[in-house]
Amino acid sequence: MLNRPPRRHRRTVPALAPALVPVLAVAALLTTAGCSGGGGSGAGAGAADEAAASASAARAPSPSPSVTVAHTLTEAQAKSALVTPADLGDDWTGTEGAATWRDALLKGKADVTDCQRLLDGLYAENLLGEPAGSRAAAGFDDTGAGAQLRYQVGAYDRAALDSSLAWLKTVPETCGQFTATDVRGGQFTVRAVAAPLPGLGEASEGLRVTVSGDGGGWPAVLTLDFAAVRVGDSALSLTDGGLDDVDAEDVRRAAEAGTRRLEEVLAGRTPAAALSAPASASDSAAVPAPDADADMDAESDQPSGQPSEQSGDEDEPDADELS
């Protein structure tokens, strides 16, 4: 028999128990974390938190586009936000009707298409457009100066309101001067210039419009001061007009007082001036706006209502002379 070297016995290493595998894995992770730079496990946790936050933000829905602000002005608030004669001055009282110059000098056809909106808006007293929510209006007369002021407050569609204010800003440039023709063929020259109202509300626009000519047997110059102020999705607007020189300070005073009152009522408070004003002052002064679509073919240029100003024959004695 051949001599063979003795066979070496291999040492069998027992397999690791399955239960030890997770333990070793955790130990390896801890060892790795301990060997990393300063901050160790704290930095890793911070990075994990940031990654989780970024993922959560990515999954979050994007903000919805801006929407029209809700109409928050109530009917009671709109009435409370109206100015009173006390806000305007001693010479002002509640109106007795639409002034006769309204139909005679504001009903006409503009020779510039884009300017018809201005003429119609002045006649109907809705240059801001129609309110989409609650509204209130009041009219006042200054018989000494022969002026008439109409004041209104309303809740509007925000987008439409901003559009109207933007359009008003362009009027002095696009409709600085144009010609209007009445139903009898008389012609008037209409001019518009800016009358800013800085510092009032969240946005404001003002205009001074003059209408001059001899149409309809009215050799006159009508001056109209217009102001509009936005507070949120609500706005006030007013027109002060007369055949004599109109005091721009009257509009400024009314706009300032009206802005304060509107801000007060929207904040849920009662305007201080309302406490001293007669409870029925606003209601007695309320007057409807003229209809911009009134029949342009009417035979008479005179309005159906009684005039609120003394615009008759100058030879007629006044009340002081009779007394």
Side-chain angles (χ1 to χ4, degrees):
M1 294 180 63
L2 297 175
N3 293 327
R4 296 179 179 178
R7 184 178 296 176
R8 294 181 180 181
H9 296 285
R10 293 183 180 179
R11 190 174 179 182
T12 303
V13 180
L16 294 175
L20 293 178
V21 175
V23 176
L24 294 176
V26 172
L29 290 174
L30 292 176
T31 302
T32 303
C35 296
S36 57
S41 59
D49 291 342
E50 292 178 3
S54 299
S56 176
R59 290 192 300 269
S62 59
S64 59
S66 59
V67 296
T68 300
V69 179
H71 309 300
T72 56
L73 190 70
T74 66
E75 183 177 354
Q77 286 177 322
K79 290 181 178 179
S80 184
L82 291 172
V83 295
T84 69
D87 295 312
L88 304 178
D90 296 336
D91 296 330
W92 292 92
T93 61
T95 189
E96 297 179 358
T100 53
W101 45 254
R102 181 169 303 284
D103 278 4
L105 296 172
L106 292 179
K107 282 175 62 175
K109 187 72 172 178
D111 64 345
V112 179
T113 303
D114 293 341
C115 300
Q116 190 66 46
R117 177 180 177 181
L118 175 64
L119 203 60
D120 292 344
L122 288 172
Y123 177 76
E125 294 179 321
N126 63 354
L127 282 175
L128 286 183
E130 291 299 322
S134 302
R135 70 187 75 187
F140 307 93
D141 293 335
D142 180 351
T143 54
Q148 185 171 86
L149 186 148
R150 189 173 190 273
Y151 188 96
Q152 52 190 325
V153 178
Y156 292 79
D157 175 88
R158 178 63 173 272
L161 179 58
D162 286 342
S163 177
S164 294
L165 290 171
W167 167 73
L168 285 168
K169 190 177 185 67
T170 68
V171 166
E173 180 179 352
T174 59
C175 299
Q177 180 171 323
F178 61 95
T179 300
T181 305
D182 67 12
V183 293
R184 297 183 181 277
Q187 291 189 332
F188 304 95
T189 299
V190 183
R191 296 180 177 87
V193 296
L197 297 165
L200 294 185
E202 298 170 22
S204 63
E205 292 295 338
L207 294 173
R208 167 161 282 208
V209 180
T210 58
V211 183
S212 57
D214 59 358
W218 282 76
V221 175
L222 170 66
T223 302
L224 292 168
D225 280 344
F226 173 81
V229 180
R230 177 178 70 78
V231 180
D233 67 333
S234 300
L236 63 89
S237 61
L238 61 128
T239 305
D240 180 22
L243 297 177
D244 295 325
D245 187 27
V246 174
D247 189 353
E249 188 59 29
D250 288 339
V251 169
R252 177 75 190 190
R253 186 184 303 112
E256 289 177 344
T259 300
R260 289 195 302 269
R261 295 175 70 89
L262 182 56
E263 290 172 342
E264 287 287 309
V265 299
L266 288 175
R269 298 187 291 268
T270 300
L275 301 177
S276 60
S280 60
S282 296
D283 294 336
S284 64
V287 292
D291 183 3
D293 296 326
D295 186 4
M296 294 291 292
D297 294 327
E299 294 182 359
S300 174
D301 286 334
Q302 301 299 324
S304 57
Q306 294 296 322
S308 62
E309 57 191 19
Q310 296 176 359
S311 57
D313 190 347
E314 295 182 356
D315 294 332
E316 183 179 347
D318 58 25
D320 295 336
E321 293 175 347
L322 292 177
S323 60

